[in-house]
Amino acid sequence: MTDIFSEEAGRAVVEKTEFVKEAIWLPLMAVHHQNAGQPIIKDKTFTDCLFEGPALMVPVSDCHFDGCNMGAAKDLNSLFYTPKGPVLVGAVPFENCRFINCRFSQIAFTGHPDFITGMAEGLTKASEA
């Protein structure tokens, strides 16, 4: 059994591009990428995965969420944080990633105002359907 905190496990996570039916502890995934010199998690597809926090996720560009459960919140606005400065310290950035039928637990989202507005509107429409 591989130690999930080992350098070997970290390299495997960073090199992997397809994740299917996996539980992903987002803080650990972020650390593995940082340790590999890749501050942005990019070019990955996640299908039927569970993302666990606590974490703040920032889709930097070209990220798609299809059929995802973004988490338990009575008010969907509770899932979104508005950036206050030019650098998002502590946020986990994603670029060119696709999330298909994933679930998010204790994950909040931030990013460009257009992303936040679009994501909130999409979630509102999905919850009303």
Side-chain angles (χ1 to χ4, degrees):
M1 185 157 143
T2 303
D3 177 5
I4 62 169
F5 298 102
S6 72
E7 184 178 341
E8 177 185 357
R11 279 194 304 266
V13 167
V14 171
E15 292 171 4
K16 193 172 183 176
T17 59
E18 299 279 333
F19 295 79
V20 178
K21 295 184 179 180
E22 295 188 42
I24 298 166
W25 185 30
L26 192 48
L28 182 59
M29 179 178 260
V31 166
H32 285 322
H33 281 76
Q34 285 285 339
N35 289 344
Q38 296 182 21
I40 299 174
I41 299 170
K42 59 184 168 179
D43 302 325
K44 299 185 185 295
T45 299
F46 303 92
T47 305
D48 297 317
C49 291
L50 169 63
F51 283 84
E52 299 176 285
L56 180 62
M57 184 177 183
V58 56
V60 176
S61 67
D62 202 25
C63 288
H64 303 277
F65 297 85
D66 302 316
C68 294
N69 179 333
M70 307 312 274
K74 289 182 182 179
D75 181 346
L76 293 175
N77 290 316
S78 299
L79 297 173
F80 302 103
Y81 289 82
T82 303
K84 299 292 183 185
V87 178
L88 298 172
V89 175
V92 181
F94 282 80
E95 181 179 292
N96 192 35
C97 290
R98 187 158 184 200
F99 305 87
I100 304 163
N101 298 324
C102 293
R103 292 182 302 131
F104 295 84
S105 177
Q106 296 186 349
I107 306 286
F109 300 87
T110 189
H112 189 277
D114 291 342
F115 162 77
I116 293 172
T117 300
M119 182 69 90
E121 288 173 357
L123 290 175
T124 300
K125 288 177 187 172
S127 69
E128 293 171 350

